[in-house]
């Protein structure tokens, strides 16, 4: 396979990756590496900086990068890191700065998936520095969007919006649809985090439309999952499950195990919200099995943590602590502070749920310095909020109000998002209710209800009505109490679907999960079958173009060499050889011819009866295609002289063999212009047309058994080569061409 063909295959693999078909892209990339190994054997160390060597190493580095990307997408993070580092080594040797930066960005993504945000950020910054030096605006936007993801995760929303907006502007100006689909999805996630649900949905729908436009199935599934999460946050559990179901179906076909595990975790959160804790644990365990299989430590720890949280909801204190502690151990091994803080906060929540307020308060006071040193506002808000809850539980209402107010201030004025504010307002109102300051309590409950109605947060709306019903009940305002209780009851009923709906959703999800391997196998088989069938009937380079959607395919070649041969006396042979044995004989002869033709980089075009057509310098560029064709012709003659075929006994009686002469072929060759292309819509054929084809056919038909007949124009291209001997045949009359000077081609002395 020539370098140009490898470039085409790399482009095809990249397009498969962009469509979200990581497994297909990986298969193609591995094929490229196999072909590159044959090139490497031909390159000496002295030629290390030759143009061809640089081309080969550039293709290798890019292929390694692509494999690193695909491995990460297929959740094999160790292999991803290995491929990306190998690509960097090659790229550094040949100063391929763009590839180095792409690999740094890829390593940033992989370590981000593994939960190592610090290492991830370091790689992103290295990538950004190189891309800025190269002034590659779209690549700068790519890295900035990835940095924005980490900032969003850390609650640094202003910085995240700044990076996302920069990237969005770049992609819109360059009309990069693929990147626009990605960045609009990121923006949707961010607006979910800051409780701007309308904006979030606007960005999600735009991302979904763009993803479908470019046929990126992975991106489509990601957006569906994000929309599911948005509905879950709003308390629309059944709709959330429908979106998760659709995403799961796509991820299953793509065999993205990490994402499948993520979907199972998300489904578990829905069931937890519905109070179906057994189902929630069941789906987390499905996620856990996958994360253990793919060695995703961060995923395993997160699963264990969530199981612990559910046991906390069930007030099973020992089990909750056991799972959370196991998760904490894994996080401590990775050295990532954020999840360690998160685990310790969950242990605090277990104590709060068990009304162990003094113990929870003590743990929080120990944790506060670590959280304040981190400087992540949303974690500080969580600690202050939980301190408020513990002080309230200890009946220290002044301290409780102090910490709730602190949390509320940071959320409103520093983080500047609506997320969590409604719940903080409920908590403050509850403290005033305990103090029987009904006016203040009603004020906070109403403010919470107004905000949660604006953000369409059904869970908080439900809480608002519940507490207002309670406070009006204490004031003996039965009319208002009844109104808010009825509102609470209706919303509560809509939130918690009956068990029939829950079970139906469960079985639907399990059915799709059970079909995952089957769907994946079908998808792989279809891809490989399509490639295999086309490669058996078409040249590789033409197959790649056809698979990419190029049709019609028609190419003009100014200089090509055409070879025809046929089997001498075939008509007579076919009259006495049984049909099955005749086909077997032809198959053996033509298979041997295929081997010889391919070994000299010629392309077999077709067989017609007992005739065989091949061409040089069409699908595979050859600098001296006339010489290659001459050598192939001589090898064909030599091989056929001693060629024998053993007919299997199961094909019938073979007495005819004793009356058969040796197999002989006659060959004709001409060089000149040709047109090559694909004909047919359902049954493809790659064929040749032009004067060179016609003349080569005439050379063959006017040839003699065991000889190679060539035109004058072909003879002139090899006449000074001592490997060949040209014997003048004189002038002959050629149908359609008149008188032509021709030669016999033989081996040189």
């Amino acid at each position: 396979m020539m370098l140009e063909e490898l470039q085409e295959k790399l482009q095809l693999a990249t397009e498969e990756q962009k469509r979200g078909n990581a497994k297909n892209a990986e298969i193609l990339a591995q094929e490229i590496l196999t072909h590159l190994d044959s090139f490497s054997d031909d390159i000496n160390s002295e030629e290390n900086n030759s143009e061809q060597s640089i081309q080969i190493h550039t293709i290798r580095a890019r292929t390694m990068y692509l494999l690193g990307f695909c491995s990460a997408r297929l959740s094999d993070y160790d292999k991803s890191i290995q491929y990306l580092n190998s690509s960097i080594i090659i790229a550094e040797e040949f100063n391929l700065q763009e590839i180095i930066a792409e690999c740094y960005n890829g390593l940033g993504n992989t370590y981000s998936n593994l939960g190592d945000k610090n290492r991830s950020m370091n790689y992103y910054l290295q990538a950004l520095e190189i891309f800025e030096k190269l002034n590659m605006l779209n690549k700068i936007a790519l890295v900035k969007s990835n940095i924005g993801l980490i900032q969003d995760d850390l609650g640094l929303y202003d910085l995240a919006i700044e990076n996302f907006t920069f990237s969005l502007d770049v992609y819109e100006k360059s009309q990069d649809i693929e990147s626009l689909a990605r960045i609009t999805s990121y923006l949707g996630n961010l607006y979910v985090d800051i409780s701007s649900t309308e904006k979030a949905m606007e960005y999600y729908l735009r991302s979904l439309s763009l993803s479908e436009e470019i046929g990126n199935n992975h991106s489509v599934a990601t957006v569906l999952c994000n929309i599911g999460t948005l509905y879950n946050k709003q308390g629309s559990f059944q709709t959330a499950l429908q979106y998760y179901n659709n995403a799961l179906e796509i991820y299953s076909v793509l065999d993205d195990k990490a994402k499948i595990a993520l979907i199972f975790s998300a489904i578990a959160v829905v069931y937890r919200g519905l109070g179906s804790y057994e189902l929630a644990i069941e789906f987390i365990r499905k996620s856990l099995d996958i994360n253990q299989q793919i060695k995703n430590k961060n995923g395993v720890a997160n699963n264990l943590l969530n199981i612990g949280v559910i046991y906390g909801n069930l007030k099973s204190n020992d089990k909750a602590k056991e799972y959370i502690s196991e998760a904490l151990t894994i996080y401590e091994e990775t050295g990532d502070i954020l999840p360690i803080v998160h685990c310790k906060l969950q242990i605090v929540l277990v104590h709060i749920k068990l009304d162990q307020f003094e113990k929870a308060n003590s743990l929080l006071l120990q944790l506060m310095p670590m959280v304040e040193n981190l400087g992540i506002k949303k974690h500080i808000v969580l600690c202050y909020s939980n301190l408020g809850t513990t002080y309230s539980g200890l009946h220290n209402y002044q301290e409780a109000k102090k910490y709730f107010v602190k949390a509320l201030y940071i959320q409103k004025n520093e983080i500047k998002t609506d997320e969590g504010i409604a719940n903080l307002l409920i908590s403050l109102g509850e403290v005033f209710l305990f103090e029987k300051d009904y006016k203040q309590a009603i004020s906070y409950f109403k403010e919470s209800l107004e905000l949660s109605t604006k953000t369409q947060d059904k869970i908080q709306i439900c809480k608002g009505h519940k507490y207002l019903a309670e406070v009006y009940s204490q004031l003996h305002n039965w009319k208002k109490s009844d109104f808010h209780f009825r509102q609470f009851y209706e919303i509560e009923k809509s939130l918690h679907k009956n068990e029939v709906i829950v079970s139906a959703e469960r079985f639907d999800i399990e059915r799709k999960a059970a079909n995952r391997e089957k769907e994946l196998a079908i998808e792989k088989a279809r891809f490989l079958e399509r490639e295999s069938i086309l490669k058996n009937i078409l040249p590789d380079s033409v197959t790649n173009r056809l698979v990419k959607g190029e049709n019609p395919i028609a190419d003009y070649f100014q200089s090509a060499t055409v070879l025809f041969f046929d089997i001498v006396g075939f008509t007579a042979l076919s009259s006495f050889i049984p049909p099955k044995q005749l086909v077997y004989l032809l198959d053996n002869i033509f298979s041997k011819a295929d081997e010889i033709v391919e070994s000299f980089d010629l392309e077999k075009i077709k067989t017609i009866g007992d005739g065989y057509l091949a061409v040089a310098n069409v699908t595979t560029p050859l600098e001296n295609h006339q010489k290659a064709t001459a050598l192939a012709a001589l090898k064909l003659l030599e091989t056929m002289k001693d060629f024998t075929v053993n007919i299997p006994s199961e094909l019938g009686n073979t007495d005819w063999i004793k009356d058969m002469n040796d197999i002989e072929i006659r060959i004709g060759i001409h060089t000149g212009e040709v047109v090559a292309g694909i004909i047919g819509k359902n049954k493809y054929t790659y064929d040749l047309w032009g004067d060179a084809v016609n003349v080569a056919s005439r050379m063959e038909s006017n040839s003699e058994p065991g000889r190679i007949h060539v035109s004058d124009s072909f003879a002139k291209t090899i006449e000074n080569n001592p490997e060949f001997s040209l014997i003048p045949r004189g002038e002959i009359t050629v149908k359609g061409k008149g008188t032509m000077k021709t030669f016999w081609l033989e081996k040189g002395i």
Side-chain angles (χ1 to χ4, degrees), residues 383-396:
C383 282
Y384 284 163
S385 174
N386 285 319
L387 276 167
T389 301
T390 58
Y391 280 118
S392 179
L394 293 166
H395 309 296
N396 188 340

Side-chain angles (χ1 to χ4, degrees), residues 537-703:
I537 60 175
L538 302 173
D540 280 358
S541 60
V542 176
T543 297
N544 293 339
R545 290 165 66 186
L546 198 60
V547 168
K548 284 191 286 185
E550 184 181 344
N551 199 10
I553 294 175
D555 302 306
Y556 165 75
F557 298 93
Q558 188 175 9
S559 179
T561 302
V562 182
L563 179 150
F564 264 106
F565 81 76
D566 75 344
I567 300 168
V568 177
F570 178 77
T571 303
L573 284 174
S574 62
S575 67
F576 63 83
I577 299 178
K580 286 185 180 179
Q581 296 181 18
L582 181 66
V583 170
Y584 186 85
L585 177 66
L586 278 176
D587 180 59
N588 275 264
I589 293 171
F590 287 153
S591 293
K592 177 55 69 175
D594 288 346
E595 289 178 23
I596 295 168
V597 162
E598 189 176 335
S599 71
F600 288 98
D601 289 326
L602 275 70
E603 186 72 53
K604 171 190 173 181
I605 300 300
K606 61 183 177 181
T607 58
I608 311 166
D610 66 323
Y612 187 104
L613 169 63
V615 66
N617 201 38
V618 172
T619 57
T620 303
L622 281 175
E623 188 176 347
N624 196 339
H625 51 93
Q626 293 92 350
K627 175 185 173 182
T629 306
L631 290 171
L634 290 167
K635 184 68 175 176
L636 281 167
L637 275 190
E638 180 186 345
T639 302
M640 292 305 162
K641 280 179 183 176
D642 303 316
F643 192 66
T644 57
V645 178
N646 295 314
I647 307 291
S649 58
E650 57 265 27
L651 292 182
N653 189 288
T654 55
D655 289 344
W656 55 268
I657 293 178
K658 62 180 182 292
D659 299 321
M660 180 182 166
N661 295 322
D662 291 339
I663 296 170
E664 287 189 298
I665 62 173
R666 56 187 176 194
I667 301 175
I669 302 175
H670 180 60
T671 192
E673 301 173 322
V674 298
V675 172
I678 290 286
I679 56 173
K681 291 185 178 179
N682 297 319
K683 296 181 179 179
Y684 297 117
T685 302
Y686 186 70
D687 212 341
L688 291 180
W689 302 272
D691 189 58
V693 180
N694 296 331
V695 173
S697 176
R698 299 289 180 255
M699 292 297 104
E700 178 269 322
S701 61
N702 284 282
S703 186

Side-chain angles (χ1 to χ4, degrees), residues 118-135:
N118 290 331
R119 191 179 290 189
S120 175
M121 183 64 87
N122 286 335
Y123 277 116
Y124 286 147
L125 292 174
Q126 289 182 74
L128 185 62
E129 184 180 356
I130 296 173
F131 284 137
E132 285 177 339
K133 285 179 182 176
L134 296 173
N135 196 29

Side-chain angles (χ1 to χ4, degrees), residues 197-198 233-235 451-458 461:
T197 54
E198 285 185 13
K233 285 197 169 190
Q234 292 177 333
L451 179 60
S452 53
T453 301
K454 173 188 162 189
T455 59
Q456 301 174 42
D457 188 336
K458 290 182 182 179
I461 293 170

Side-chain angles (χ1 to χ4, degrees), residues 96-347:
L96 306 171
Q97 291 296 307
E98 182 183 350
I99 297 177
I100 293 170
E102 286 174 344
C103 289
Y104 283 150
N105 183 65
L107 285 166
N109 292 339
T110 299
Y111 281 111
S112 178
N113 288 329
L114 289 168
D116 192 339
K117 304 297 181 186
N118 290 331
R119 191 179 290 189
S120 175
M121 183 64 87
N122 286 335
Y123 277 116
Y124 286 147
L125 292 174
Q126 289 182 74
L128 185 62
E129 184 180 356
I130 296 173
F131 284 137
E132 285 177 339
K133 285 179 182 176
L134 296 173
N135 196 29
M136 301 182 74
L137 204 55
N138 276 47
K139 294 295 175 69
I140 292 168
L142 172 65
V143 181
K144 279 182 173 284
S145 67
N146 289 333
I147 291 171
L149 287 175
I150 293 180
Q151 291 165 336
D152 182 13
D153 192 49
L154 296 176
L156 304 172
Y157 301 121
D158 287 344
L159 291 174
I161 287 175
E162 184 181 326
N163 278 315
F164 288 159
T165 305
F166 171 87
S167 301
L168 181 66
D169 184 54
V170 170
Y171 296 144
E172 283 180 332
K173 285 177 180 174
S174 63
Q175 285 297 295
D176 185 342
I177 306 298
E178 180 195 355
S179 299
L180 275 172
R182 185 178 63 250
I183 196 65
T184 46
S185 179
Y186 292 170
L187 279 160
N189 293 342
L190 187 145
Y191 281 110
V192 168
D193 291 340
I194 62 178
S195 302
S196 183
T197 54
E198 285 185 13
K199 267 194 169 181
M201 186 60 82
E202 178 188 329
Y203 278 114
Y204 282 152
L205 292 177
R206 186 180 176 192
S207 177
L208 186 60
S209 174
L210 291 166
S211 301
E212 288 173 340
E213 180 184 334
I214 59 175
N216 188 328
N217 296 326
H218 195 280
S219 182
V220 169
T222 300
V223 181
L224 291 172
C225 179
N226 290 339
I227 293 174
T229 301
L230 176 58
Y231 278 116
N232 185 44
K233 285 197 169 190
Q234 292 177 333
S236 299
F237 299 127
Q238 193 174 4
T239 308
L241 284 174
Q242 288 169 356
Y243 275 97
Y244 287 148
N245 243 327
N246 293 336
L248 179 63
E249 193 168 353
I250 296 171
Y251 284 138
S252 296
V253 172
L254 296 175
D255 195 30
D256 190 333
K257 292 184 174 64
K259 292 294 186 183
I260 293 168
L262 193 66
I263 291 283
F264 284 149
S265 289
I267 291 169
V269 172
V270 175
Y271 285 124
R272 192 176 77 192
L274 286 164
S276 301
Y277 296 121
E278 286 185 11
L279 279 175
I281 289 175
E282 185 179 326
F283 275 96
I284 293 177
R285 289 196 182 281
K286 287 176 184 284
S287 178
L288 179 62
D289 287 343
I290 295 171
N291 280 320
Q292 287 174 333
Q293 177 191 340
I294 64 177
K295 299 177 182 177
N296 181 359
K297 281 189 176 181
N298 190 59
V300 169
N302 189 55
N303 292 145
L304 294 170
L305 176 60
N306 284 328
I307 293 173
V309 169
I310 292 173
Y311 279 121
N313 290 333
L314 292 167
K315 296 193 175 182
S316 181
N317 190 24
D318 292 340
K319 277 194 172 182
K321 283 184 177 178
E322 177 190 338
Y323 280 101
I324 295 171
S325 297
E326 199 175 338
L328 183 59
T329 301
I330 296 172
Y331 284 132
E332 284 174 339
E333 286 175 4
T334 65
D336 197 346
I337 301 297
L338 282 178
I340 292 172
V341 167
H342 191 52
C343 276
K344 290 186 175 181
L345 280 171
Q346 291 301 326
I347 293 172

